[in-house]
Amino acid sequence: IVTNTPDVLTEEVADTALGLLLMTIRELPQSERWLRAGHWVSKGPYPLTANTMRGKTIGILALGRIGKAIATRCEAFGLTIAYHGRTKQDDVSYRYFESLVEMAREVDILMSVAPGGASTKHIINAEVLKALGPQGVLINIGRGSVVDEAALAKALHEKIIFAAGLDVFENEPHVPADLMACENAVLLPHVGSASIHTRNLMGQLVVDNLLAFLSGKHPLTPVAETPFTHW
C-alpha cells in the first residue's frame, strides 16, 4: 500500500508559487543584489522593470489541488486564468486548452504544477517556449522533469522568453550551469512546501496513515494506483 500527503501542503506550495512569480516578473532578486552590491549608492536606482503582473493571463499546466489554489491567488492579483490538462473540468469557469502549445501561445505566464513521470517528461520544450514568446514567463513549481532544461536555458539566453522561475529541477540538487548563468532566471532549491509548519502536517499524516493501517482500518490517503485490501 502506498499513501501520500495531499491537501496539507497545498496552501504552502501555492504561496511559494505566487512568491516565485512575483520575484521573477518584477526582478526582485536582481534588485536586491543591486542594493547589496552597493550599486544603489554608486549607480543610482535599479532600472525600471520591463514586465508586470498587470493585465496578464496565466496558463496553469495541471489544474489539481495546488493548481486551483494558485488560480485563486492569481484571481486576487487580477490575472485572467486558463489551464491545460488531460481533460476539461466542468467545475471551473477558466478557459480550457486541449493543446499546451496553443495555451502557451495565448498566455503571458505559464505556470507548471504538473507531476513527473514518462507522460510529462519534457512536455515544456522548445516549441512550447517559442509559443510563450519574448514577453512570456515560465514558472515551474511541479516537477523538474517536465521542463527540457537545455531548451529553457537556450530560450533564456536568446531572449526567446522573458524570464523563468524554477523551484524544481530534473537532477536535484544539481542545477545546470547554463541555467545558473541566466540573469533572467530565479532559482530556488525546492522549497515549495519547506516550512516547519507544513512538514509537521505532512509527517503527522504519514503517522495517521500507518496507525489506520495497523489498526485494520482503511488507509487515509492511498494513492489512486495502489491496491489494498480493506479488512
Side-chain angles (χ1 to χ4, degrees):
I1 297 171
V2 178
T3 64
N4 60 359
T5 58
D7 297 321
V8 293
L9 53 74
T10 296
E11 302 303 324
E12 203 78 81
V13 176
D15 288 348
T16 305
L18 264 292
L20 184 55
L21 174 57
L22 284 166
M23 291 169 70
T24 303
I25 206 164
R26 289 299 318 282
E27 303 175 26
L28 299 182
Q30 295 93 321
S31 63
E32 190 204 24
R33 290 196 294 270
W34 180 273
L35 179 151
R36 288 181 180 275
H39 296 332
W40 196 9
V41 174
S42 63
K43 298 181 180 180
Y46 185 77
L48 299 179
T49 53
N51 218 329
T52 179
M53 297 272 279
R54 308 282 72 76
K56 301 294 187 181
T57 297
I58 184 168
I60 299 174
L61 171 59
L63 194 70
R65 295 180 183 90
I66 296 172
K68 287 176 179 174
I70 292 171
T72 298
R73 287 158 172 75
C74 288
E75 286 182 299
F77 277 88
L79 297 173
T80 300
I81 316 296
Y83 72 100
H84 167 73
R86 287 174 292 186
T87 57
K88 185 177 186 297
Q89 300 186 35
D90 295 330
D91 61 338
V92 298
S93 60
Y94 311 134
R95 182 180 178 186
Y96 172 68
F97 285 87
E98 292 186 359
S99 163
L100 177 57
V101 172
E102 184 60 28
M103 184 174 77
R105 190 174 291 119
E106 295 294 322
V107 302
D108 305 289
I109 302 158
L110 176 57
M111 172 74 70
S112 177
V113 201
S119 65
T120 61
K121 184 176 174 65
H122 291 185
I123 59 171
I124 298 178
N125 53 23
E127 182 184 12
V128 171
L129 296 169
K130 183 178 180 180
L132 190 56
Q135 289 301 307
V137 173
L138 170 68
I139 305 294
N140 188 10
I141 198 81
R143 286 292 178 266
S145 60
V146 172
V147 176
D148 181 338
E149 292 176 341
L152 175 59
K154 183 175 188 292
L156 289 167
H157 280 293
E158 297 181 6
K159 304 298 172 62
I160 293 169
I161 66 171
F162 180 79
L166 309 173
D167 184 48
V168 290
F169 303 90
E170 188 163 12
N171 187 29
E172 297 178 1
H174 305 288
V175 179
D178 284 349
L179 282 179
M180 295 277 279
C182 294
E183 272 296 309
N184 51 345
V186 177
L187 311 174
L188 301 181
H190 204 151
V191 296
S193 65
S195 72
I196 293 171
H197 169 82
T198 294
R199 292 295 172 86
N200 281 343
L201 292 176
M202 293 168 70
Q204 186 60 55
L205 186 50
V206 172
V207 172
D208 292 343
N209 268 292
L210 285 168
L211 292 175
F213 174 79
L214 293 172
S215 64
K217 297 178 182 177
H218 195 297
L220 301 179
T221 54
V223 299
E225 297 83 1
T226 190
F228 59 86
T229 300
H230 184 204
W231 64 93

